[in-house]
Amino acid sequence: MSKKENVWNQLLFEKSRQGGFINKNLLILGRKCSGKRSLLDSLAEITKTLKNAIRQKGITPIVDYAYLNLIDLRDPDYNTNARLNVYILEEEGQKYLLPQILNHKNIKNTFVVIALDMQEPWTFMEDLDRWISVLQDMMADLRLSLNELEEMKSNVMQYMSQMDGGQVHEGLLKTNLGIPLMVMVNKSDILERDDKGKDWDQKAEIIQFCLRQFCVNYGATLLFTSVKQKINIKVMYEYVLHRLYNMPFETSQHKNLSDFESLFIPLGQDDINIIKSTFTKLANSVIKYEESVPVVQLKKNLVKEELTVEDDQEFFTKLKEKSSQAPVTRPILPIQRQVEQPAAQQPPPPTDQPLSARGSQQSQQLRNFYDKILTGRNDAQVDPIQQAQQQLQERMKQRTVTEVQPSASATRLTPLFNQQDQQRLQRILPSKK
């Protein structure tokens, strides 16, 4: 970009700054565990944004949402009062949700990133083809008018012409989607490891050759990042704001075509001729990416998980608070029925036992009987009612009034039943003739 064009962009930015900033969108597409959320955590630190609840273990929504504060890193104290909305989609099958998030109005203020995982480079071309298909379907579902779609495509072409000085490049932007696009390869620090397998240097050239060809065809920017090594994190944020808000961006200072782990090729800085001259052998051969970059299982860094033990007092305090907040409910206990062994039939009380003792014994037996009924206990083999009737009949066989032969010290014994009890028994039991 020439100095004259840079000054012009600076004037445009100052004008938009005076008019105020509006919220715009960043759409990130990529498979699970490709480093998308780790990147957002790093961007949140740069932009002084409170980390949103987008990192939920074991729970991943269909479309994640977060936001980043809109900050000009050259003047971080300036308050723009605007946010960059961030949407993350991981499943191709949920692409029907995109038209509900983006529409024909806000799609013009949207930057799209396709995230790739350097830990699995053999998936690159498959993922790129899949997500490009998703974007094409999304643009069709938005039902943009021809004028709106042509205007968006014209903006991409105009920006590209500014970046390359108006030169005509071979094979550049064969497919124009009309939206700013970036291919972002995360976890580039893996390139510095020693367990990448045999012939890695040759595979690395094939990866770069195919990625650059793809980006030239679709007008995409190519960027390699590493959260662990903090490679190109700020560059990524500044470039997105540059494309969305016309913020000044020194392309010549950040452009990097030599260091593979920190590669950064903005739109308009590459073409087919440059790629062929850089990779002469590959340009003259037919490359099948899946065969050239086979699956290689890289060893994962084993990191011991740190266990944090909570203080006992804090644990019991939280437990008390939870118990106080919980609604008071009566616990439901399982019904337990105990099977008792049949009690041995007790012999009738002796005749010389006092009436008060016999009455208390009878009351205790009745009390035990009703207690068994109320508590749900039941004798398996003996029917209590039948047992009580048998005892009553045995007692009735005895004489109502017991007399003994008169003797010197003999006295008349107290009858077993009083007169009132005898009348009741006569009404219940039939009289013997």
Side-chain angles (χ1 to χ4, degrees), residues 390-431:
Q390 292 176 356
Q391 293 179 1
L392 184 59
Q393 291 178 0
E394 290 179 358
R395 294 184 183 182
M396 288 301 300
K397 293 179 181 179
Q398 300 177 2
R399 296 176 56 186
T400 304
V401 179
T402 305
E403 296 180 354
V404 299
Q405 296 296 330
S407 61
S409 60
T411 57
R412 190 179 182 88
L413 297 177
T414 305
L416 178 62
F417 301 103
N418 56 25
Q419 185 176 3
Q420 186 176 3
D421 292 337
Q422 294 179 19
Q423 294 177 355
R424 291 179 180 175
L425 292 173
Q426 288 178 358
R427 289 196 298 269
I428 296 173
L429 299 177
S431 58

Side-chain angles (χ1 to χ4, degrees), residues 26-30 36-37 40 54 61-66 86-91 98 101:
L26 174 62
L27 175 62
I28 302 179
L29 308 173
K36 303 180 297 298
R37 293 171 181 80
L40 280 183
I54 59 173
I62 297 176
V63 178
D64 278 341
Y65 169 78
V86 182
Y87 301 96
I88 300 177
L89 184 67
E90 295 181 338
E91 298 292 340
L98 291 178
I101 300 172

Side-chain angles (χ1 to χ4, degrees), residues 126-306:
E126 178 186 354
D127 286 358
L128 289 173
D129 291 339
R130 177 170 63 252
W131 291 120
I132 285 295
S133 177
V134 169
L135 291 175
Q136 290 174 338
D137 292 342
M138 179 193 71
M139 297 298 293
D141 293 338
L142 292 178
R143 297 180 180 179
L144 297 169
S145 65
L146 292 178
N147 292 335
E148 291 175 330
L149 186 57
E150 288 299 325
E151 180 183 357
M152 294 175 63
K153 291 182 177 182
S154 176
N155 292 335
V156 175
M157 291 290 296
Q158 183 179 358
Y159 175 82
M160 185 184 63
S161 62
Q162 292 177 1
M163 295 297 295
D164 59 14
Q167 300 178 6
V168 178
H169 294 276
E170 180 185 354
L172 187 60
L173 201 59
K174 288 184 177 180
T175 303
N176 187 354
L177 297 177
I179 50 179
L181 182 62
M182 173 186 287
V183 174
M184 182 175 62
V185 182
N186 295 329
K187 307 178 187 178
S188 65
D189 55 279
I190 293 178
L191 297 173
E192 301 176 358
R193 291 167 52 175
D194 299 329
D195 58 346
K196 298 183 292 294
K198 299 179 181 180
D199 303 329
W200 172 252
D201 293 337
Q202 182 180 359
K203 295 176 183 177
E205 289 186 356
I206 296 175
I207 293 172
Q208 185 178 167
F209 176 77
C210 293
L211 288 178
R212 289 175 64 172
Q213 275 192 325
F214 178 89
C215 290
V216 166
N217 291 334
Y218 287 94
T221 296
L222 180 60
L223 179 70
F224 279 51
T225 67
S226 171
V227 173
K228 184 178 180 180
Q229 300 294 337
K230 297 183 179 180
I231 297 175
N232 285 338
I233 305 301
K234 288 185 178 180
V235 173
M236 183 265 182
Y237 179 73
E238 290 178 343
Y239 185 77
V240 170
L241 298 190
H242 165 64
R243 295 293 300 272
L244 289 177
Y245 294 95
N246 291 320
M247 287 189 179
F249 183 81
E250 296 293 339
T251 305
S252 58
Q253 295 182 5
H254 300 294
K255 181 177 65 173
N256 187 348
L257 282 74
S258 57
D259 298 331
F260 193 25
E261 65 275 3
S262 58
L263 201 68
F264 175 50
I265 308 177
L267 173 61
Q269 299 297 307
D270 202 2
D271 62 14
I272 295 298
N273 292 328
I274 297 176
I275 296 174
K276 288 181 178 180
S277 63
T278 305
F279 306 97
T280 307
K281 294 182 180 180
L282 297 177
N284 297 324
S285 59
V286 178
I287 299 176
K288 295 183 179 180
Y289 187 84
E290 291 75 10
E291 297 178 1
S292 303
V293 187
V295 178
V296 177
Q297 187 64 35
L298 299 178
K299 297 179 181 178
K300 295 184 179 180
N301 295 328
L302 299 178
V303 180
K304 293 184 178 180
E305 184 178 0
E306 182 180 357

